[in-house]
Amino acid sequence: MGQVIPQIAEALQFGFIQRALVAGCFIGACCAVLGVFLVLRRLSLIGEGLAHFSLAPIGLALLLGIYPLYLAVPLGILASFWILHLASRAKMYGDAAIGLVSAIGVATGVIMASLGSGFNVDLFGYLFGDILAVSRLESIMTIGLSFVVLLLVLLNFQDLFAIAFDEEYARVLGLNTERTNQILVILTTFTVILGIKVVGIMLVSSLIIFPAVTALQLSKGFKNAIIFAVVAAVSSVVMGILLAFLFDLPAGATIVLVNFVFFLASYSFRIVTKR
Amino acid sequence: MSIITVKNLSVKMYSSVVLSDVSFEVKSGEYIGIVGPNGSGKSTLIRTLLGLNDIDGGRIEIMGKSLPQFSDWHKIGYLPQATVVTNKSFPASVGEVVATGLLGCKSFPRRFKKTDRDRVLQILETLDIAGLCHEQIGNLSGGQSQRVFLARAMVADPDILILDEPTAALDPVTRASFYETIAALNQDQKKTILLITHDSSTIGKYAAKLLYLDRRLVFFGNFQEFCQSRDMSHYFGDFAQHLICHQH
């Protein structure tokens, strides 16, 4: 223990650790806030679907030699609208729509990877995340986009809550549920694509699901649930990055496992206190 | 003055006709009991009034405006059929759920003020459930949930209350108390009430008019007309018709 604190202090001196912590905390907070809405609406796998779909634009961007997020964001938004369209208009169950879109993305991404075998190492970074390699520009972009995501959630908070609780009643109240759903999936797309840098395509949905389900074990009120989720997400990002640095582990996977430990703790607390 | 006008309304669901050529008018302050067998289109009728179903023929006017133009949704309170919270772990307090009933009269970005929180407390006190304000919504009994969702429907002080089988899950004592609460809203606050029920005999005690649906409008009128209707004695049988008239 005596050696750990100096090592952490030393780690915090490094620019790449500072950037990873700042970017990770902002992305974690966005994932946590959106995660509460998505989990309660049983839409949490949309994060998984969009992340898997993003393999296609990332693969295409690497093949064309352009910055992957420039393609991943717009095509991800199109994919999210496609999921909404399939689920509402094509009379397809939501999980089937997510599975279909995600499979198309993965298949296209694999073909891109086989066409451009030289960039497989870069693709590996997107599959499993590389938060410690976040550049200064990426961390600034992450902070900016996170502010936009959190501001839009704040402005639409009551609509999102009303729809999460009872979508039909929200329609009776005259709320524009279709527009609010579109805002939710656009914000989720932004957040998922930013989250890919932290934990990778394979694990990004865990950033959405874990903090939300951890908070739902403990909270009675909705605002408390959001606050608990953000605290769990930010704590797990900080602890995950520092543990990864101390024990030379992959940061993304460590963050996910710290999240799992938090979930186990909150679940046990709920069982013991019979809440 | 008519607060709701329905003219030649037809509604199809998955290409089968659920309502055909239904016409009636509801005047402000009336208490209408909507009855009919299962699958007769009662819920479809009120869901169509609330803009939740598409119209295949005819027209609906609410407060003088045709349905597509109507935007004062906060003037209509709705208590849905299923008021049992299926997601028991949903992290919402009773106060938070009731407050959503005020969102219809707020413009973007919707925010609650102290007056809104006071209004929520006031309506909870009126319905004798102020003690539940901070309780998690999933922890309530069926009767408590029913009152909470009634509070949500009433919190914006609507002119019209639409209730879809509100007493189906209640025990007889709670059911009687619920009917008394609705009757008081109609008599004291002059709210227009549309209440769907299978409880034809009890509704006879409270409603001023009955609307009987069987995919078409079979009967719409007051109890004097109901008691003399041969159509209704055909549907209910002479004894049941007599019982309902006696309750009224």
Side-chain angles (χ1 to χ4, degrees):
Chain A
M1 186 70 186
Q3 288 178 336
V4 170
I5 291 171
Q7 275 183 300
I8 290 174
E10 186 195 345
L12 293 174
Q13 304 297 316
F14 293 116
F16 72 93
I17 293 281
Q18 291 167 1
R19 287 194 297 276
L21 286 172
V22 171
C25 287
F26 272 98
I27 294 167
C30 290
C31 284
V33 171
L34 293 170
V36 172
F37 294 107
L38 293 169
V39 166
L40 287 171
R41 295 190 58 188
R42 295 175 171 85
L43 282 173
S44 50
L45 284 181
I46 201 167
E48 181 107 354
L50 290 172
H52 286 182
F53 175 83
S54 67
L55 197 62
I58 288 171
L60 181 63
L62 291 174
L63 191 67
L64 299 175
I66 50 178
Y67 185 57
L69 295 195
Y70 293 157
L71 270 186
V73 170
L75 291 182
I77 289 171
L78 282 180
S80 63
F81 281 138
W82 193 20
I83 291 172
L84 280 185
H85 176 81
L86 287 174
S88 60
R89 304 279 160 79
K91 302 206 183 300
M92 186 183 282
Y93 289 114
D95 54 350
I98 290 169
L100 187 142
V101 171
S102 110
I104 290 169
V106 172
T108 312
V110 169
I111 288 173
M112 297 293 163
S114 75
L115 290 176
S117 51
F119 63 72
N120 281 348
V121 175
D122 296 331
L123 200 60
F124 194 82
Y126 284 97
L127 278 173
F128 297 103
D130 201 1
I131 183 79
L132 299 180
V134 168
S135 68
R136 188 179 167 78
L137 178 69
E138 283 172 334
S139 62
I140 290 169
M141 205 165 74
T142 301
I143 293 167
L145 284 175
S146 299
F147 269 117
V148 172
V149 168
L150 295 172
L151 179 68
L152 284 171
V153 169
L154 196 66
L155 289 174
N156 290 282
F157 185 83
Q158 293 301 342
D159 296 50
L160 287 165
F161 169 71
I163 293 170
F165 183 70
D166 187 345
E167 182 161 2
E168 185 171 281
Y169 196 79
R171 284 173 64 197
V172 171
L173 288 168
L175 307 188
N176 190 338
T177 56
E178 199 170 334
R179 192 202 65 184
T180 307
N181 284 335
Q182 287 168 352
I183 290 172
L184 182 65
V185 294
I186 290 174
L187 297 182
T188 305
T189 309
F190 271 114
T191 307
V192 162
I193 287 167
L194 291 175
I196 286 173
K197 195 74 187 171
V198 182
V199 290
I201 287 168
M202 301 304 291
L203 293 173
V204 68
S205 65
S206 66
L207 283 187
I208 286 177
I209 297 171
F210 268 126
V213 294
T214 300
L216 293 177
Q217 303 299 315
L218 303 173
S219 27
K220 282 187 175 175
F222 198 77
K223 284 179 185 161
N224 283 343
I226 300 266
I227 292 167
F228 283 164
V230 170
V231 170
V234 170
S235 309
S236 60
V237 166
V238 172
M239 288 176 68
I241 289 174
L242 293 177
L243 284 171
F245 179 80
L246 291 175
F247 299 103
D248 195 20
L249 299 169
T254 313
I255 290 169
V256 173
L257 289 182
V258 172
N259 260 312
F260 176 59
V261 172
F262 281 175
F263 167 72
L264 277 184
S266 68
Y267 177 73
S268 308
F269 180 79
R270 186 176 69 82
I271 297 295
V272 169
T273 56
K274 293 181 180 164
R275 284 161 73 105
Chain B
M1 178 198 162
S2 289
I3 198 163
I4 298 173
T5 305
V6 176
K7 278 187 186 166
N8 309 114
L9 177 70
S10 295
V11 179
K12 286 180 184 172
M13 304 283 267
Y14 303 108
S15 73
S16 72
V17 177
V18 182
L19 288 173
S20 173
D21 201 25
V22 172
S23 299
F24 63 93
E25 283 188 13
V26 179
K27 292 189 173 59
S28 179
E30 281 187 328
Y31 188 153
I32 313 287
I34 303 174
V35 292
N38 286 331
S40 59
K42 304 184 294 296
S43 292
T44 302
L45 173 65
I46 62 164
R47 288 174 59 80
T48 310
L49 287 175
L50 292 164
L52 296 171
N53 288 336
D54 292 333
I55 295 174
D56 287 287
R59 59 197 298 259
I60 295 172
E61 281 181 16
I62 300 176
M63 297 174 188
K65 287 183 182 169
S66 69
L67 195 61
Q69 269 77 50
F70 183 74
S71 58
D72 295 332
W73 291 105
H74 60 279
K75 292 183 177 173
I76 301 179
Y78 171 50
L79 182 64
Q81 191 171 5
T83 55
V84 177
V85 180
T86 47
N87 182 359
K88 296 285 180 192
S89 61
F90 196 99
S93 67
V94 165
E96 286 174 320
V97 169
V98 173
T100 59
L102 290 168
L103 291 176
C105 42
K106 295 198 166 287
S107 52
F108 181 83
R110 297 174 231 278
R111 285 281 167 273
F112 292 126
K113 298 175 184 163
K114 185 178 180 304
T115 48
D116 299 319
R117 289 186 280 273
D118 292 344
R119 173 65 189 152
V120 168
L121 273 179
Q122 185 193 3
I123 199 75
L124 291 175
E125 277 165 13
T126 305
L127 294 173
D128 211 16
I129 48 172
L132 299 176
C133 187
H134 301 290
E135 197 62 45
Q136 188 166 342
I137 190 77
N139 291 342
L140 305 183
S141 69
Q144 287 172 327
S145 289
Q146 196 76 312
R147 283 189 179 267
V148 168
F149 286 102
L150 180 62
R152 181 179 69 171
M154 287 171 50
V155 70
D157 196 22
D159 296 328
I160 305 170
L161 263 178
I162 298 181
L163 315 163
D164 191 352
E165 294 194 45
T167 58
L170 303 183
D171 63 70
V173 175
T174 318
R175 190 181 304 166
S177 152
F178 189 84
Y179 275 123
E180 292 294 338
T181 305
I182 301 301
L185 287 169
N186 175 245
Q187 284 161 18
D188 303 340
Q189 298 181 33
K190 306 299 174 203
K191 305 285 183 203
T192 305
I193 311 281
L194 272 76
L195 188 148
I196 288 183
T197 184
H198 281 289
D199 194 359
S200 317
S201 56
T202 309
I203 194 65
K205 189 176 168 188
Y206 299 100
K209 283 185 174 175
L210 266 190
L211 189 155
Y212 193 97
L213 278 179
D214 193 0
R215 293 181 179 252
R216 61 185 179 87
L217 187 69
V218 178
F219 175 82
F220 182 58
N222 61 33
F223 275 82
Q224 198 176 1
E225 291 163 335
F226 172 81
C227 297
Q228 290 162 0
S229 166
R230 292 317 303 161
D231 275 345
M232 287 295 92
S233 63
H234 168 71
Y235 268 93
F236 283 96
D238 287 335
F239 179 73
Q241 186 186 25
H242 175 75
L243 195 68
I244 295 166
C245 295
H246 177 73
Q247 288 269 20
H248 188 66

